[in-house]
Amino acid sequence: MRGFNVDVGVVPVVIRQDGRQIRRQYEIDFVCNLGSARYYIQSAYRMENEEKIAQEETSLRKVDDSFKKIVILGEHTPVLRNEAGITTMSIYDFLLNPNSLEW
């Protein structure tokens, strides 16, 4: 609807543990590209506790670029931006406002 090419993203991460390198991959639900614009989007029904927030934001925090990172929730919530620059908004704001990616 907005003209984006949409893919699933994977963020490879190497963790050093006990003198070994462990490779992990974190999935990003949607990577949306349109020309030079890119948005990383995670979707979740709710983020009711710190554990769930960390789970949804981990892959976004591992991306090492300055493109916009967004978590879209399936419940009403105000549009918020945290210290890592990750924006959280409701599915209603995302779908009903054509400029929601620019918030």
Side-chain angles (χ1 to χ4, degrees), residues 6-50:
V6 181
D7 294 303
V8 173
V10 175
V11 182
V13 176
V14 176
I15 300 169
R16 298 189 189 282
Q17 185 177 24
D18 300 327
R20 299 179 297 158
Q21 289 186 351
I22 300 171
R23 297 177 189 269
R24 300 212 47 193
Q25 292 185 338
Y26 295 95
E27 184 177 293
I28 297 176
D29 293 335
F30 305 100
V31 179
C32 306
N33 296 292
L34 180 63
S36 62
R38 175 175 288 169
Y39 299 90
Y40 299 102
I41 299 177
Q42 286 292 99
S43 60
Y45 181 66
R46 302 176 82 181
M47 291 196 312
E48 63 275 356
N49 57 46
E50 293 298 319

Side-chain angles (χ1 to χ4, degrees), residues 21-90:
Q21 289 186 351
I22 300 171
R23 297 177 189 269
R24 300 212 47 193
Q25 292 185 338
Y26 295 95
E27 184 177 293
I28 297 176
D29 293 335
F30 305 100
V31 179
C32 306
N33 296 292
L34 180 63
S36 62
R38 175 175 288 169
Y39 299 90
Y40 299 102
I41 299 177
Q42 286 292 99
S43 60
Y45 181 66
R46 302 176 82 181
M47 291 196 312
E48 63 275 356
N49 57 46
E50 293 298 319
E51 182 179 335
K52 183 65 174 171
I53 292 169
Q55 176 187 343
E56 295 301 333
E57 290 185 356
T58 296
S59 59
L60 297 176
R61 290 175 181 262
K62 300 287 184 188
V63 175
D64 192 24
D65 66 26
S66 60
F67 291 111
K68 192 156 191 179
K69 296 152 182 79
I70 303 167
V71 177
I72 298 175
L73 300 180
E75 62 184 353
H76 287 284
T77 184
V79 176
L80 302 170
R81 182 168 292 129
N82 68 14
E83 75 284 347
I86 298 171
T87 302
T88 301
M89 69 177 68
S90 76

